[in-house]
Amino acid sequence: MAWIPDGTFLMGSDRHYPEEAPVRQVTVDGFWIDPGPVTNREFDRFVRKTRHVTVAERPPEAADYPGAKPEMLVPFSAVFVAPRHRVSLADPHNWWTPVPGADWRHPQGPGSSIRNKPDHPVVHVAWADATAYAAWAGKAVPTEAEWELAARGGLSGAEFAWGDELSPGGDWMANTWQGEFPLQNTGEDGYEGTSPVGAFPANGYGLFDMIGNVWEWTSDWWSARHGPDMPKACCIPENPRGGPESASYDPRQPDVRIPRKVLKGGSHLCAPNYCRRYRPAARHAEPVDMSTSHVGFRCVVRARSS
Ligand SMILES: [Ca+2]
Ligand SMILES: [Ca+2]
Ligand SMILES: [Cu+2]
């Protein structure tokens, strides 16, 4: 694991999406972090030792999903499927497909496999799968502040984990999407889907794939906006843990009572024409029961006991 020294840093961004604002000072104690997202090989070792069955492999309980049609209560996970024609970017259902039988061993659904992807990040893991793995490994899932401090790689206020240009000198620094999302994936960076951990350069802390490849779970509950900046040293938040669970629900779906966690880092599906979330400040709300083909996680070990 890599050591991230404690420090006060500028978290968030005022230049992009509203949920990243405001930029504010935050203090985080030093901690150890995995140099890359958990890979299929690592997750396989965990499953063989513990017989863990992921959320995507279990049928949803009818009681948890009132009103759900019986045919929906089969194990499934969300797979990105490129539409054949140009679609509205307002509705993610145009490219997210619930696929029965899609899970971490079958990332595109039945018939697909991870045989040639031992070093790719594990995907189709829900929040409970990430925490089960972390507990088994004697680790924890990072807070959003820990994750963002690590992603910044020692640079203060930079747009990207490597500086202020998306592809400096034409070099791709992370696995993102080139071309017109979601129709055309040119794979100019070498990968249309996930990539082996380590295929792109490490950041200043020696960490791979903080940006792109797969989104990563954090332990903070989602909040639509960060707290205010506290200019006086007395009041800079220390080791912030995000907002309350009760504020994390999706206001557009008042009937759905599934709390949401913060995802960080963007994925191979983040594209300039749709979702410019391939930056340390970027964040995304993910329901805890959700698993998809572009979300994974990595772990930390805290020096402090909390
Ligand atoms: Ca790519
Ligand atoms: Ca990532
Ligand atoms: Cu994105």
Side-chain angles (χ1 to χ4, degrees):
M1 299 178 86
W3 174 251
I4 308 299
D6 54 73
T8 298
F9 76 107
L10 292 172
M11 186 171 171
S13 171
D14 293 328
R15 291 192 294 268
H16 296 279
Y17 301 105
E19 69 271 13
E20 301 172 25
V23 174
R24 70 232 173 271
Q25 296 190 87
V26 162
T27 298
V28 174
D29 291 341
F31 60 96
W32 298 89
I33 189 165
D34 291 342
V38 172
T39 62
N40 286 320
R41 180 188 282 119
E42 291 167 325
F43 200 78
D44 180 64
R45 192 177 309 136
F46 156 66
V47 167
R48 277 188 286 114
K49 294 270 194 227
T50 62
R51 308 263 161 233
H52 179 81
V53 178
T54 60
V55 172
E57 296 169 282
R58 301 198 291 256
E61 303 258 0
D64 294 341
Y65 303 90
K69 299 191 187 94
E71 63 265 31
M72 286 303 293
L73 297 176
V74 298
F76 75 91
S77 194
V79 176
F80 172 83
V81 179
R84 292 174 192 278
H85 308 286
R86 193 161 281 137
V87 295
S88 162
L89 291 177
D91 186 0
H93 292 103
N94 284 326
W95 52 88
W96 285 114
T97 306
V99 175
D103 58 40
W104 71 276
R105 286 191 184 88
H106 309 95
Q108 305 303 312
S112 66
S113 93
I114 55 171
R115 200 174 316 129
N116 300 321
K117 299 179 175 178
D119 297 320
H120 287 228
V122 66
V123 291
H124 296 295
V125 281
W127 168 246
D129 304 317
T131 54
Y133 179 97
W136 170 77
K139 300 180 180 179
V141 179
T143 65
E144 181 178 7
E146 287 168 339
W147 195 100
E148 187 168 328
L149 173 62
R152 289 183 176 281
L155 300 176
S156 178
E159 287 279 77
F160 301 101
W162 49 85
D164 284 319
E165 266 186 86
L166 176 58
S167 48
D171 289 339
W172 292 105
M173 304 298 283
N175 183 358
T176 60
W177 177 295
Q178 297 85 47
E180 184 193 334
F181 183 89
L183 273 184
Q184 178 205 32
N185 186 351
T186 65
E188 208 180 298
D189 61 14
Y191 300 92
E192 291 184 23
T194 57
S195 47
V197 174
F200 293 84
N203 76 358
Y205 288 142
L207 309 179
F208 296 95
D209 290 327
M210 291 301 282
I211 299 307
N213 207 357
V214 292
W215 282 99
E216 299 176 23
W217 287 104
T218 75
S219 58
D220 286 11
W221 296 113
W222 174 259
S223 52
R225 208 177 152 80
H226 290 305
D229 187 30
M230 299 293 185
K232 288 191 184 163
C234 66
C235 310
I236 295 171
E238 289 178 23
N239 302 310
R241 307 299 300 260
E245 177 179 349
S246 57
S248 76
Y249 297 98
D250 188 349
R252 293 164 306 176
Q253 294 184 286
D255 300 337
V256 177
R257 300 300 286 170
I258 309 284
R260 298 183 297 170
K261 293 281 186 184
V262 175
L263 298 183
K264 293 291 273 184
S267 82
H268 60 276
L269 299 180
C270 290
N273 72 307
Y274 172 61
C275 169
R276 301 181 313 280
R277 290 190 173 83
Y278 28 59
R279 295 169 291 102
R283 49 211 299 271
H284 177 75
E286 191 82 337
V288 291
D289 63 342
M290 188 73 181
S291 61
T292 80
S293 56
H294 78 151
V295 176
F297 67 102
R298 79 179 70 206
C299 300
V300 296
V301 172
R302 297 187 180 106
R304 64 182 194 272
S305 53
S306 67

